[in-house]
Amino acid sequence: MSHIDTAANTNRWRGKSLTEKTLLALGMLAIAISVPSWQGALSVAVIMTAATLLGARVPPGVWWQTMIAPFGFLLVGVISLALQVDSHLHVALAPHGLELAGRLAARALAGVTCLLFLALTTPAAHLISGLRRIGVPAEIAELALLIYRFLFLLTDTAQAMHTAQASRLGHSTYRRHLRSLGVLIANLMPRSLSRARALEIGLAARGWRGELRVLSPVRGVSVAGVAAILLVELLVLAIGLHTA
Amino acid sequence: MRLLEARELTHTYPGAVNALDRLNLYVERGRRLAILGANGSGKTTLLLHLNGTLRPQSGQVLLDGQPTGYDTPSLTAWRRRVGLVLQHADDQLFAASVAEDVSFGPLNLDLDEAETRRRVDYALKALHIQDLADRATHMLSFGQKKRVAIAGLLAMQPEILLLDEPTAGLDHQGTEDLLSVLDELGKANTTLVFTTHDVELAYRFADDVAIFNAGRTLAQGPTADILSNDALLSSAALGAPLLLKIGLRARELGILAANDPLPRTPEAVLSLLQKPHR
């Protein structure tokens, strides 16, 4: 979780406009889903991975760490598509199984790389202000913002409490570990409430009247960037349709 | 001129002793006031009364000599003039990026977008954190968060800035940086009020000091007068600042002329030390 956030806040393309990044990620996603050929999907996966690692310079370790969970699911799904078990418990390749599995793997991989690109290059702050801009109700955007902000405060607090417990041997046996964990969770609740109350005082001091309005910085959309993205997408689309 | 004044304020928390006990305090325009008291003496409770967050159980707060109201329009007008910076910056920052967070206050003053951007730029520049504008708030260091919290109020351009323990938890350099920023603000005509238990800080930075103990103001007046009163300080569990002691001793010994100003910085004290003439 926090390594995704760190990458999103430190990568080379963090300041690029949200419009360009979503145009690339969602456009490629649409192509990956709609184009029938595996070659099309595979080129999407390759291009999006290159954009993430070479373009935005997201550390490959972070990319892989984030990738590994969906990759695991994908692998299990693909194996169950490719193989079949008959009534004598003989395992064999399913008819068209490999082809089907390959197609699915290429598409799913393409989809995941698109979303990963967006997640690893775009700070949550930009995504939330984007939500506002496309007309998502303010209440939902504000809730998302506060949850995001408090997630970090809460994990910090939980981590500090865990360290304090562990240093007093609260996690030395399994039984104690469970007990300490229970106490920790129970303590987070009143702490969160008092934090929320303190925040209310802090915001009231700054004239809060029930609405969390902020001014987001303008990030210019580059015409050349949009043109390049559209060009790449057309190219991939052409490959996908040509090989179908 | 008394910009803000607390008269006979009383506040009791349920099941506890009086946090404020018929407290009197005044804030004069353009002067820096340190509210000096030991831990748990009720300093924060006092600040929360001075911007209308808490309502006194008895007594009143006066703004420009007029008793303040507690309805929404009065509170809005009050907080527009009196800004409060909480001790824990995390209690104040909510937005995902620094510039967005600082823009919150000006937008609540119903300023337009252009003016808000101007105010945000001004506040970030005043605290020397322009380079943090686009950073995520949760990725800042302790000292940086503190500055962003102050910038958030400065962008509202209040006449008085109340700061709760502004240097608590800051390292030496962080404290120096913050003080020089506050110094610039003070010179730009913002009236500063801060709470602290640090007599050295109060001596160095404040024009006036109020000694606070058990919910009351024991004394309020010019810094050197108040802080040289040993009996007064010890009755509030405080001790005299070392720099002031040295300065007074230097006067006694004739190293410092009676009408020379007392040294307020370590550098000024060091310059008193000279090689004896032989």
Side-chain angles (χ1 to χ4, degrees):
Chain A
M1 164 72 228
S2 84
H3 62 263
I4 298 181
D5 191 68
T6 310
N9 275 297
T10 52
N11 73 84
R12 196 162 64 132
W13 282 359
R14 84 179 283 277
K16 284 231 189 288
S17 90
L18 185 63
T19 316
E20 286 174 56
K21 281 190 271 199
T22 43
L23 185 66
L24 179 60
L26 300 184
M28 289 296 239
L29 184 64
I31 293 171
I33 291 170
S34 55
V35 162
S37 85
W38 62 268
Q39 289 95 331
L42 208 61
S43 18
V44 168
V46 169
I47 291 171
M48 292 314 283
T49 307
T52 313
L53 299 181
L54 304 176
R57 299 255 171 90
V58 170
V62 173
W63 182 83
W64 179 242
Q65 223 182 324
T66 324
M67 187 68 182
I68 196 144
F71 201 68
F73 282 115
L74 179 62
L75 209 64
V76 173
V78 165
I79 290 172
S80 61
L81 261 186
L83 301 180
Q84 67 174 21
V85 184
D86 64 16
S87 52
H88 305 290
L89 291 178
H90 289 156
V91 180
L93 280 177
H96 305 297
L98 273 185
E99 194 197 327
L100 204 62
R103 247 175 230 274
L104 179 80
R107 264 192 192 191
L109 205 62
V112 171
T113 53
C114 290
L115 290 181
L116 224 55
F117 167 79
L118 200 61
L120 289 173
T121 60
T122 319
H126 300 186
L127 287 176
I128 292 167
S129 66
L131 285 183
R132 280 179 206 254
R133 255 185 290 155
I134 60 169
V136 170
E139 289 79 6
I140 294 176
E142 282 174 12
L143 210 57
L145 175 69
L146 288 178
I147 290 173
Y148 172 72
R149 169 87 181 104
F150 278 97
L151 213 55
F152 291 97
L153 284 183
L154 212 60
T155 46
D156 280 354
T157 312
Q159 217 141 42
M161 282 162 82
H162 186 275
T163 310
Q165 287 180 335
S167 67
R168 286 191 286 160
L169 304 181
H171 294 272
S172 52
T173 66
Y174 187 65
R175 271 180 68 107
R176 280 192 202 136
H177 170 66
L178 280 186
R179 215 187 101 76
S180 302
L181 207 62
V183 174
L184 191 152
I185 293 167
N187 265 318
L188 273 181
M189 180 66 187
R191 279 211 194 192
S192 310
L193 283 179
S194 73
R195 265 257 153 88
R197 216 158 282 144
L199 182 71
E200 206 182 325
I201 293 175
L203 294 187
R206 296 164 68 194
W208 176 55
R209 278 166 293 170
E211 201 190 348
L212 294 174
R213 272 195 308 158
V214 295
L215 203 58
S216 304
V218 189
R219 275 173 280 274
V221 180
S222 102
V223 180
V226 171
I229 289 164
L230 289 177
L231 199 68
V232 171
E233 286 178 349
L234 278 177
L235 202 69
V236 175
L237 197 62
I239 295 174
L241 292 176
H242 186 70
T243 49
Chain B
M1 193 189 126
R2 293 187 176 185
L3 201 51
L4 187 64
E5 190 175 350
R7 261 191 215 158
E8 301 283 313
L9 284 191
T10 300
H11 188 92
T12 313
Y13 287 108
V17 288
N18 284 356
L20 301 181
D21 181 17
R22 284 181 289 127
L23 173 134
N24 291 298
L25 187 97
Y26 55 89
V27 178
E28 280 180 298
R29 189 186 291 279
R31 288 179 74 83
R32 303 172 192 176
L33 173 67
I35 299 173
L36 199 50
N39 294 334
S41 58
K43 301 187 295 278
T44 303
T45 309
L46 170 60
L47 289 191
L48 292 178
H49 278 86
L50 292 181
N51 92 327
T53 302
L54 291 177
R55 201 174 171 159
Q57 285 150 358
S58 71
Q60 54 186 188
V61 177
L62 296 101
L63 198 57
D64 278 336
Q66 298 294 318
T68 50
Y70 287 84
D71 51 307
T72 310
S74 312
L75 281 176
T76 304
W78 186 352
R79 288 171 186 164
R80 181 184 290 243
R81 300 182 60 192
V82 182
L84 169 65
V85 181
L86 299 177
Q87 180 177 355
H88 303 288
D90 272 326
D91 290 342
Q92 210 168 297
L93 308 180
F94 73 95
S97 87
V98 169
E100 286 181 347
D101 197 274
V102 175
S103 74
F104 176 69
L107 286 178
N108 286 334
L109 296 177
D110 296 319
L111 299 174
D112 62 26
E113 218 182 287
E115 177 63 12
T116 299
R117 282 193 204 286
R118 212 188 56 72
R119 294 277 189 103
V120 171
D121 286 345
Y122 153 78
L124 293 180
K125 199 183 259 174
L127 283 132
H128 308 298
I129 47 173
Q130 296 112 301
D131 51 322
L132 301 182
D134 207 25
R135 287 271 287 277
T137 34
H138 66 272
M139 293 182 89
L140 302 175
S141 74
F142 183 84
Q144 288 170 333
K145 278 186 185 171
K146 197 115 206 173
R147 284 175 176 224
V148 174
I150 296 175
L153 280 138
L154 195 61
M156 298 174 76
Q157 301 189 341
E159 290 167 52
I160 305 179
L161 202 54
L162 310 172
L163 302 125
D164 196 6
E165 299 271 0
T167 59
L170 284 180
D171 56 28
H172 173 74
Q173 195 55 47
T175 305
E176 291 301 315
D177 292 348
L178 185 65
L179 288 183
S180 78
V181 164
L182 290 179
D183 196 45
E184 286 166 27
L185 289 185
K187 282 179 184 141
N189 258 337
T190 308
T191 302
L192 299 172
V193 178
F194 63 101
T195 63
T196 183
H197 58 264
D198 184 349
V199 284
E200 308 288 343
L201 174 72
Y203 175 59
R204 188 177 145 189
F205 197 71
D207 299 318
D208 295 311
V209 171
I211 303 288
F212 194 59
N213 187 46
R216 284 178 179 231
T217 308
L218 297 183
Q220 178 172 359
T223 303
D225 297 354
I226 298 285
L227 293 183
S228 53
N229 186 337
D230 286 328
L232 177 68
L233 288 177
S234 64
S235 68
L238 300 165
L242 179 63
L243 294 187
L244 178 61
K245 282 188 192 166
I246 296 174
L248 291 174
R249 180 85 179 125
R251 257 189 199 168
E252 249 175 64
L253 295 174
I255 300 172
L256 195 65
N259 51 3
D260 274 352
L262 290 163
R264 279 197 162 192
T265 60
E267 293 72 35
V269 166
L270 284 174
S271 72
L272 291 177
L273 299 178
Q274 291 159 356
K275 251 191 183 154
H277 298 289
R278 284 177 195 259

